[in-house]
Amino acid sequence: MKPRIFVTRPVPAEVESYLQEHCECDFWGQEEPVPRQMLLERTADVQGLLTAGGKIDAELFDHAKQLRVVSSLSVGYNHYDLPAMKQRGIIGTHTPYVLDESVADLVLALMLGTARRVVELDRYVREGRWQRGDNEVLYGFDVHHATVGIIGLGRIGEAIARRARFGFAMNVLYHNRSRKPQAEEELGAAYRTLDELLAESDYVVLMTPLTPETKQLIGRRELALMKPSAIFINVSRGQNVDEAALLEALQTGAIRAAGLDVFDREPIGAEHPLLQLPNVIALPHIGSATAKTRFDMAMLAAQNLVAGLEGRTPPNVVQELQ
């Protein structure tokens, strides 16, 4: 008898077929998140859950008493209640690796977009403000040969460093929980304390997961350490930044600009003060949003789920549950 699963978000047809081959499937099939009460009802008799967000916690486990495997279609898994999962022996997986290069591409896009004021000057042209003889009003800032500081040199951080070093001849600094000798040798990356990195970098890229230690890692004190000419890029988690402090730093010129793919609350409201600033590029959390990467993530999430339900060790069990 096939295990029963609930899938809380649309997946490609090939992934649906793979899941149906191995499981009895209940697909939510809608882009909007499944309402909490609906989630509790439709997981009452499932052994597996494929999701991409929403709290996976003791309340859910109290309703889904047969649940054995939760597979998240994401790299981050801060929505997992890890102690509750460990206590009940529930396997939790995620989808690392497959999105590294796509996210690194987006970081470079934000660096270039903020430095050369791409969005701001696109608007300048569309609004008919471009005049013959415009000169310094159009100036941006160089990325090549500048210094980038990467906070969190994991797989994505290394992919960013590789692009920065070999594509733009940048000086690469990094801060990490532990030194990365291989990255230092291969990428020419130089380790710095967090304060040193903030003070020395022209571009500060935040790439840490959301943990109790990294929540609001970048606040008023850290922003004050940055150069007034520095540009801040965040493609990690919005909660890793004190958003009010960032807004103040951008408004007062304490830092030059910011490129943001993530926010404290998502979706961010259209009237949010950050979105009124010309020196901010704001994106709708699209770090992994390419067709190929999203397909690969969905298939990996499905394979993780099926492996766990078939009694095999899934390839991507989250570290804390291994």
Side-chain angles (χ1 to χ4, degrees):
M1 183 175 177
K2 294 180 180 179
R4 181 170 173 79
I5 67 171
F6 181 46
V7 181
T8 70
R9 60 167 298 154
V11 294
E14 296 93 329
V15 178
E16 278 198 18
S17 296
Y18 173 82
L19 289 169
Q20 289 171 330
E21 179 183 350
H22 295 276
C23 307
E24 181 183 342
C25 302
D26 179 11
F27 295 102
W28 172 242
Q30 301 180 41
E31 290 292 345
E32 60 268 22
V34 57
R36 180 69 175 181
Q37 187 57 41
M38 181 70 70
L39 175 67
L40 298 179
E41 292 172 4
R42 291 173 72 165
T43 54
D45 61 348
V46 304
Q47 291 80 52
L49 175 65
L50 194 155
T51 186
K55 291 183 179 179
I56 305 300
D57 57 10
E59 180 193 34
L60 173 64
F61 303 148
D62 287 341
H63 286 76
K65 296 185 182 300
Q66 299 179 43
L67 188 63
R68 293 190 281 120
V69 185
V70 181
S71 178
S72 186
L73 203 162
S74 64
V75 174
Y77 49 90
N78 51 288
H79 53 302
Y80 282 176
D81 182 339
L82 295 170
M85 296 177 79
K86 183 175 292 189
Q87 180 183 10
R88 301 182 191 222
I90 295 172
I91 296 171
T93 70
H94 63 147
T95 57
Y97 310 114
V98 294
L99 78 172
D100 297 352
E101 301 297 332
S102 297
V103 176
D105 283 351
L106 185 71
V107 169
L108 268 293
L110 284 170
M111 288 174 61
L112 290 163
T114 50
R116 298 305 300 268
R117 302 165 59 203
V118 170
V119 174
E120 179 186 355
L121 294 179
D122 172 83
R123 189 179 303 116
Y124 184 85
V125 173
R126 292 175 185 273
E127 293 175 353
R129 292 186 284 146
W130 184 20
Q131 302 293 323
R132 189 176 299 276
D134 284 350
N135 194 3
E136 292 187 16
V137 70
L138 306 180
Y139 284 2
F141 312 96
D142 288 328
V143 173
H144 68 86
H145 294 91
T147 296
V148 59
I150 303 170
I151 305 171
L153 199 72
R155 297 178 307 273
I156 299 173
E158 289 191 14
I160 296 164
R162 192 173 301 112
R163 285 160 172 75
R165 178 70 171 178
F166 301 118
F168 293 87
M170 298 184 81
N171 178 37
V172 178
L173 310 178
Y174 78 98
H175 178 72
N176 205 57
R177 286 178 297 181
S178 57
R179 296 281 294 262
K180 307 287 285 287
Q182 185 173 350
E184 292 178 13
E185 181 179 349
E186 294 179 358
L187 304 174
Y191 177 83
R192 294 289 191 273
T193 66
L194 179 59
D195 287 3
E196 290 170 341
L197 180 148
L198 294 170
E200 296 178 35
S201 299
D202 300 306
Y203 299 87
V204 174
V205 179
L206 184 60
M207 288 307 310
T208 57
L210 177 60
T211 68
E213 293 74 30
T214 63
K215 188 173 184 180
Q216 296 209 342
L217 177 66
I218 302 300
R220 187 166 280 105
R221 188 191 77 86
E222 289 73 26
L223 290 160
L225 292 171
M226 293 169 61
K227 300 177 181 180
S229 58
I231 291 175
F232 176 68
I233 307 293
N234 187 14
V235 188
S236 61
R237 287 292 184 269
Q239 294 88 346
N240 289 336
V241 178
D242 180 339
E243 217 163 72
L246 176 61
L247 175 65
E248 179 183 324
L250 290 162
Q251 289 173 327
T252 62
I255 64 172
R256 190 188 302 280
L260 308 173
D261 187 44
V262 291
F263 302 90
D264 188 37
R265 297 186 65 180
E266 297 180 359
I268 189 172
E271 301 305 315
H272 194 288
L274 277 171
L275 304 189
Q276 316 311 314
L277 299 178
N279 54 341
V280 172
I281 293 180
L283 298 178
H285 204 147
I286 58 164
S288 64
T290 70
K292 181 181 185 304
T293 296
R294 287 290 173 87
F295 175 86
D296 291 345
M297 291 173 69
M299 183 57 79
L300 181 56
Q303 292 168 343
N304 284 332
L305 184 64
V306 169
L309 291 171
E310 291 183 348
R312 296 178 283 118
T313 300
N316 297 288
V317 178
V318 302
Q319 182 177 359
E320 293 86 347
L321 297 176
Q322 292 177 5

